[in-house]
Amino acid sequence: MYNDDMGGAVSQSGFELTGAYSILLNNQDAVSFGLSMKGNQFVFDGTNLEVYQSGDESLPGTLESSFGVDFNAGMMVYGKDYYFGMAVFNLIQDKLSLAGVDDENRLVRHYHFMGSYLYNVSRLVAIQSSALMRMTEVTSAQLDLNARAIFNGTSWLGLGFRPQDAIVLSTGLNYGAFTFAYNYDITVGENMLSTHSHELSFGYFMPARSAFRSRPSSGRRVRSSDRILK
């Protein structure tokens, strides 16, 4: 995967290689482990930067760049109606040699904990609840709570809440192997850089040739395709 992001005087580009391995459990659920390596090029352009106070050594008036390598890891247990897991980003907290400082400029380790449960109200309606908690070693935890109603397995309406930050309204539609979604964020916290935002997403599900296989203690079994969480 390739990424390219720019915001003001700071830009970031790089690549990420990801792999995962899944193991079938005896109850027909599964556990999956993932590991990724990423390389990022950080660039700080201070040549045209306007600052309130000149002479700040942490904001050099030059063009500086630094390339670093780091790793992410995670695991997830999942079944037909649920999943839960965790992920850790920036495992080695790679140093960034910007502004001539190596020890203070470095990537910060992030921790994500997530879970979801799908409840079938009827043959045509289901309710899916999910939660995501994000935290670092230097900041407090941030919690996302979400719920959506799924109709006939093809369309949904959702509501999300991030305490002291935002409320999210969402809707989406699946059509064959394609999926479309729209999110509307309403800011309710003190971060008023933007009172609201819009997000459109489009996806395509690549068909799998076969379900994965494993060798649990009770013997060789094959995981059926309808048990794979989508």
Side-chain angles (χ1 to χ4, degrees), residues 135-163:
M135 57 189 301
T136 73
E137 298 176 353
V138 295
T139 60
S140 57
Q142 185 179 67
L143 181 65
D144 288 22
L145 301 174
N146 301 278
R148 64 173 182 166
I150 306 172
F151 307 99
N152 200 28
T154 58
S155 60
W156 70 87
L157 294 172
L159 176 66
F161 177 61
R162 186 178 302 120

Side-chain angles (χ1 to χ4, degrees), residues 6 12 18 33 35 48 53 67 75-76 101 103 112 129 152 154 181:
M6 181 176 182
Q12 176 182 343
T18 303
F33 301 91
L35 179 66
N48 296 318
Q53 183 177 358
F67 181 82
M75 64 85 63
M76 179 174 291
V101 181
D103 294 332
H112 288 191
S129 59
N152 200 28
T154 58

Side-chain angles (χ1 to χ4, degrees), residues 114-136:
M114 73 288 292
S116 175
Y117 182 76
L118 181 69
Y119 175 73
N120 294 308
V121 179
S122 66
R123 295 184 59 185
L124 299 179
V125 180
I127 302 295
Q128 184 180 34
S129 59
S130 62
L132 168 65
M133 185 174 68
R134 295 174 289 186
M135 57 189 301
T136 73

Side-chain angles (χ1 to χ4, degrees), residues 153-155 173-180 202-207 230:
T154 58
S155 60
L173 173 68
N174 293 331
Y175 182 77
F178 298 91
T179 180
F180 308 87
F202 168 79
Y204 175 74
F205 294 99
M206 299 182 64
K230 296 182 175 64

Side-chain angles (χ1 to χ4, degrees), residues 201-218:
S201 60
F202 168 79
Y204 175 74
F205 294 99
M206 299 182 64
R209 293 183 178 180
S210 63
F212 67 81
R213 291 176 169 84
S214 182
R215 292 180 179 269
S217 58
S218 59

